[in-house]
Amino acid sequence: MTQQKCINCGSRYSLDEIVYFCRKCGDLLEVEYDFTEAREDLEKSDWKRRPLSVWRYKELMPIKRSSAIVSLSEGGTGLHSCKRLGEHLGIRELYVKNEGENPTGSFKDRGMTVGVTKAVEYGVKTVICASTGNTSASLAAYAARAGLKCVVLIPSGKIAYGKLAQALIYGAKVIQVRGNFDQALEIVIKLSERVGGIYLLNSINPFRIEGQKSLGYEMSEQLDNARIDRVFVPVGNAGNISAIWKGFIEFHRLGLIEALPKMTGIQSEGAAPIAHTIKSHNAQISPVAKPETIATAIRIGAPVSWKKAMSAIIDSHGTAETVSDEEILDAQRLLARLEGLFVEPASASSIAGLKKLVENGEVDRNERVVCVATGHGLKDPDIAVKMSEKPIEVDADVEVIERAIGVEMPIEISVHGGRR
Ligand code: F0G
């Protein structure tokens, strides 16, 4: 039987119960499957013939009725072999999983399709989240699709413009909080516990993690279930790295993959409580009171899923690393120029982290590496424009423009197409 289970004391709760934290010890919950049952369900199904997507793995998702599914066609994103970037960084086999290809432009859609489907199953009318931007954009879209009321709390002035535009146009009630993400999250947790009927869809919600675990399934399948040595993931509130690891663990338990990758979490220097905890071999996290980074998506000082993320990193023999804002922006530019992939700054932190770990010898050039690029570059166009060379402005004149391009024209072509 599929159940919700406390990650600390093991208390179990039915899938029918709305419960965010364990009622006995207050810790986070996760969804637990009976793998004998799951294996049988998969064998009876046609899952291998379904397109690559979150719902390809329906039998491994905690929902009751397929008819309740709220979908915008999420998942099935490209796993791009990045030869030029790999060569530049000194890695023989590098892939980038481009989550910007999801319907609202980030990996959050994988979690929201499942989370909002559960909201529909529970019959709630209002959904809520705190967000650095992408979660709010995604929840707003899925709530619109399902006809639910949506409330999002965002840190005032600290979310990228594209994400704000999304939340607004999808019709969410957008509340800007004079404070940071961590404070906004505390408030929505209190609100959803106090006010019945408001369903919380931050990543403490175990059903969101279920959707996001499909990232691990997909990467495995896209590489024919062959060994992946290492996966780099940008870490903010720490749900995604935990989810991807759960995906790998489950595929392993189902006998679909033999080896497990080392999970490597990357945080921005100014918001790196998990990386600091891993590096100092502590068991307990020390939150960062005033997180700061240009990568606003991961500007988080008290990651709520830190325990799950620590287990993912430690159990997989992975590691965590910090990168500076400058390293993040360099990586963003490199990925765009060498591979044609435009990702937002937080997403580029996985590439920046790989670069750092190759340089300091922690990653071997023969490893098969996947970097997860979590969100699309157009989410945050202001930074890209600010960090790039300004376009030159000229009169509408061919000769002036020819001089501006600054190249010798190899063959002179007449306006009529023939040679002069
Ligand atoms: N990358 C991007 C683009 C994100 O938006 C986030 C999180 C992360 C990485 C980190 O993922 O929190 O699971 O560790 N954004 C959240 C939001 C917090 O509100 O959109 P995580």
Side-chain angles (χ1 to χ4, degrees):
M1 196 173 32
T2 310
Q3 285 181 311
Q4 307 183 71
K5 180 183 164 195
C6 171
I7 60 165
N8 176 49
C9 72
S11 296
R12 288 181 167 78
Y13 303 89
S14 132
L15 288 186
D16 298 330
E17 272 185 90
I18 296 183
V19 46
Y20 305 113
F21 295 100
C22 177
R23 295 201 184 103
K24 292 213 181 88
C25 73
D27 222 320
L28 294 179
L29 305 177
E30 65 179 1
V31 176
E32 182 193 52
Y33 297 85
D34 174 332
F35 279 87
T36 317
E37 238 173 60
R39 214 171 281 122
E40 279 169 16
D41 286 350
L42 281 177
E43 273 164 20
K44 277 189 280 176
S45 78
D46 61 349
W47 75 280
K48 284 197 173 150
R49 285 199 295 279
R50 297 178 200 146
L52 201 66
S53 68
V54 171
W55 297 107
R56 174 180 169 90
Y57 313 105
K58 202 166 57 184
E59 286 73 15
L60 299 167
M61 294 294 161
I63 60 146
K64 299 218 153 142
R65 289 176 288 126
S66 296
S67 60
I69 290 175
V70 182
S71 174
L72 290 164
S73 298
E74 44 294 311
T77 57
L79 182 73
H80 304 278
S81 163
C82 291
K83 294 215 169 59
R84 275 154 52 78
L85 181 62
E87 225 165 79
H88 183 89
L89 300 180
I91 278 285
R92 207 169 274 169
E93 214 181 332
L94 172 62
Y95 299 87
V96 169
K97 181 74 169 154
N98 189 22
E99 287 294 284
E101 294 168 31
N102 275 300
T104 77
S106 84
F107 70 94
K108 305 285 180 182
D109 297 339
R110 294 179 185 272
M112 286 307 174
T113 184
V114 179
V116 173
T117 297
K118 287 309 285 184
V120 169
E121 281 190 355
Y122 287 139
V124 298
K125 297 284 175 264
T126 305
V127 287
I128 195 168
C129 73
S131 178
T132 56
N134 282 321
T135 301
S136 61
S138 184
L139 181 58
Y142 283 83
R145 182 91 172 147
L148 302 178
K149 206 171 154 218
C150 175
V151 183
V152 304
L153 270 66
I154 53 174
S156 186
K158 291 289 184 182
I159 87 164
Y161 219 55
K163 304 174 190 180
L164 181 61
Q166 287 179 294
L168 292 170
I169 199 73
Y170 293 130
K173 173 130 194 120
V174 179
I175 300 175
Q176 302 206 61
V177 179
R178 284 187 214 102
N180 61 29
F181 167 84
D182 304 296
Q183 293 165 304
L185 181 60
E186 246 183 78
I187 294 169
V188 291
I189 290 174
K190 280 194 190 128
L191 264 175
S192 51
E193 279 171 345
R194 233 164 55 178
V195 187
I198 297 190
Y199 189 55
L200 180 60
L201 272 163
N202 276 101
S203 57
I204 59 159
N205 184 314
F207 305 126
R208 275 224 9 229
I209 300 296
E210 290 308 290
Q212 289 174 210
K213 75 182 179 184
S214 62
L215 254 167
Y217 296 169
E218 277 187 17
M219 280 184 237
S220 301
E221 290 211 89
Q222 285 171 308
L223 291 171
D224 295 326
N225 292 347
R227 178 189 192 90
I228 299 172
D229 294 303
R230 203 181 275 271
V231 177
F232 280 77
V233 189
V235 174
N237 213 19
N240 204 32
I241 192 167
S242 323
I244 297 171
W245 177 239
K246 190 170 192 279
F248 283 120
I249 289 280
E250 290 182 358
F251 250 37
H252 189 253
R253 283 192 69 174
L254 289 163
L256 294 166
I257 54 172
E258 278 173 22
L260 291 164
K262 293 178 174 148
M263 300 303 294
T264 305
I266 306 299
Q267 293 196 296
S268 202
E269 267 173 12
I274 290 179
H276 290 145
T277 310
I278 290 283
K279 279 166 175 276
S280 57
H281 304 287
N282 279 339
Q284 205 67 24
I285 197 166
S286 308
V288 173
K290 291 199 172 117
E292 227 20 281
T293 167
I294 198 158
T296 51
I298 51 172
R299 186 175 166 269
I300 293 174
V304 74
S305 296
W306 68 272
K307 257 194 201 172
K308 288 185 179 178
M310 295 273 293
S311 306
I313 292 167
I314 292 166
D315 296 351
S316 70
H317 309 288
T319 188
E321 188 51 88
T322 62
V323 288
S324 67
D325 282 358
E326 205 184 326
E327 288 168 323
I328 289 175
L329 295 174
D330 279 349
Q332 184 191 28
R333 216 174 291 125
L334 265 183
L335 183 58
R337 292 188 181 188
L338 294 180
E339 300 293 348
L341 296 172
F342 179 26
V343 306
E344 68 167 285
S347 311
S349 67
S350 56
I351 313 290
L354 168 63
K355 183 167 188 280
K356 194 165 175 181
L357 292 190
V358 172
E359 280 167 4
N360 71 17
E362 259 186 81
V363 172
D364 185 88
R365 64 171 279 111
N366 293 316
E367 287 186 36
R368 173 183 270 176
V369 173
V370 177
C371 288
V372 181
T374 41
H376 202 286
L378 287 175
K379 294 269 192 179
D380 199 350
D382 300 356
I383 286 186
V385 173
K386 208 153 80 192
M387 294 303 146
S388 302
E389 205 179 297
K390 298 276 166 297
I392 43 174
E393 194 176 332
V394 296
D395 290 333
D397 180 287
V398 175
E399 278 167 22
V400 172
I401 292 174
E402 198 177 311
R403 273 201 303 280
I405 294 170
V407 288
E408 294 290 318
M409 291 293 160
I411 302 165
E412 284 190 53
I413 308 282
S414 84
V415 280
H416 303 295
R419 284 181 193 197
R420 250 198 274 162

